[in-house]
Every structure is written in C-alpha cells, then in structure tokens.
Amino acid sequence: MESLPLFPLHTVLFPDGHLPLRVFEPRYVDMVRRCLRDGTPFGVCLIQSGEEVAAPGSVTVPEAIGCLAEIVDCNMEQLGVLLIETHGTQRFRTLEHGTREDGLLVARAETLPPDVLDCKEELLGECTAALRRIVAAVHAEASGRKLFTEPQRWHDPGWIANRLCELLPVPLKAKQMLMALPDAGMRIEIVHRYMRQHHIV
C-alpha cells in the first residue's frame, strides 16, 4: 500500500473489532469521503506521542503497527460531522509516513499475515469460557446490546484472543503490544495469565 491514510487515535483496533467514530476535522471528513467513494480502508494506529485533534505546531507520531478499518456505515450528525461505524480487518506495518498539506498522515505500508493459530487447548478453553461469561454479564445488564459484530467466531483462537484484549482493562500500550503479536497462542497465554492473576479464570 503506497498511500494509506492514517487515523491516529488513543485506542487500539484489533482485527474483527468494531470501532465507532465521530469525525469532524476536515482532513478526516475528506478522508472518509474518499474511502467511501473508492471502497478503500484507512489505517487506525495508536498514538505514540501527540494528540488526536490537530493543534498548531503539534506533531502526532503513530505506532508502526496498526489495523485497517473498513467503513460499514456512515451518517451525517450535522453539517461537517460524520458518524461512522468501522470494522477492523487486517493488521499492517507502516514502513514510512508523511504529512499532507491538509495535515492528514499518509503511509507506505505492508499488510501483515494472519495470526498463527497454534495454542494450548486448555488455555483456549478457559479463555473462551471467560469471554462467554463476560458477554453474558453485559447482556444481563443491557438487554439487546451487542458487544461484537458478526460473524462471531467462537472456535477461532485469534478471534477469542482479540475480543478479550479489547474488553480487559489493560493499558493501551499493553493492548498495542498484544495486537502486534503474530501468534494468537502467545496472545492467549498472556491474556490467560492476566485473568488468572486477577481471578477471572
């Protein structure tokens, strides 16, 4: 990808994750319009340093590894303000990036391969059970609320690991590290260790 638009945020998007965004800065409104017109994704990256909203003289530095976001719905809240729903698809690595005149970060990037899915069955089983309990608790508190977009792949170790990473209250830097791991088994082991330490499993 030679010209991938980047949206640096104080959040980490995982593959198959759901990310709603309220877009109001002109550079990002234009980006969304181009993505919708061309049917192309943009890249979501955790901010390494800097801020989400542009300020005079400020520089925003994104993490090198992010996740492609596909726009699945878009509505105009008011003139110049877009409400979009996005779906995380594939991880990517930024090779180099620059800033356009309008302030939009654009990267030359490469997509990363899907997760290696080798993991310990016992740990996967306990993590899957923990995720089901979390989902049941959320549904009990807010009937009708959907935590995840379809399809829900309960037999996919990568999907289980990513959903737990989204839900568990760990620092953003830790979420970034987990998202960047190439191996779902490693992600499952780390998440399982965290949940055991906090008496979740």
Side-chain angles (χ1 to χ4, degrees):
M1 295 177 289
E2 291 298 322
S3 187
L4 175 68
L6 299 181
F7 202 149
L9 294 166
H10 290 300
T11 193
V12 177
L13 178 63
F14 286 80
D16 291 311
H18 173 244
L19 179 63
L21 292 169
R22 184 173 183 269
V23 182
F24 56 89
E25 287 192 73
R27 55 179 171 167
Y28 294 129
V29 171
D30 290 343
M31 178 197 75
V32 168
R33 287 173 176 158
R34 284 193 300 272
C35 289
L36 287 170
R37 181 193 66 202
D38 301 335
T40 54
F42 60 90
V44 172
C45 297
L46 177 66
I47 292 175
Q48 191 178 90
S49 64
E51 298 299 329
E52 290 183 352
V53 180
S58 67
V59 176
T60 298
V61 179
E63 292 282 354
I65 294 179
C67 184
L68 296 178
E70 177 184 75
I71 301 171
V72 295
D73 193 26
C74 178
N75 292 288
M76 184 175 288
E77 182 184 46
Q78 61 190 62
L79 188 62
V81 180
L82 302 177
L83 299 178
I84 65 173
E85 303 285 334
T86 71
H87 177 77
T89 59
Q90 192 171 2
R91 295 176 306 137
F92 67 89
R93 177 186 290 109
T94 296
L95 303 175
E96 60 182 4
H97 71 269
T99 305
R100 297 191 340 180
E101 287 186 4
D102 62 359
L104 183 71
L105 286 176
V106 178
R108 184 169 69 87
E110 62 180 4
T111 55
L112 296 176
D115 280 335
V116 176
L117 298 180
D118 185 31
C119 63
K120 297 175 181 176
E121 288 297 325
E122 181 182 354
L123 299 188
L124 177 60
E126 291 186 8
C127 286
T128 302
L131 182 59
R132 288 190 182 278
R133 288 196 300 272
I134 293 170
V135 170
V138 169
H139 287 174
E141 290 181 6
S143 179
R145 179 187 170 191
K146 277 194 173 182
L147 274 180
F148 313 127
T149 56
E150 300 293 341
Q152 297 185 14
R153 300 199 300 274
W154 288 94
H155 299 292
D156 181 339
W159 189 87
I160 295 293
N162 289 342
R163 304 294 74 79
L164 283 169
C165 289
E166 290 169 346
L167 292 171
L168 293 175
V170 298
L172 285 175
K173 287 291 186 182
K175 288 180 187 278
Q176 174 68 25
M177 179 272 292
L178 288 163
M179 186 271 290
L181 289 173
D183 187 331
M186 295 168 62
R187 211 173 294 132
I188 284 284
E189 286 192 26
I190 294 170
V191 167
H192 183 272
R193 190 181 311 128
Y194 173 90
M195 292 195 296
R196 184 172 290 279
Q197 289 171 349
H198 292 79
H199 309 292
I200 300 172
V201 296

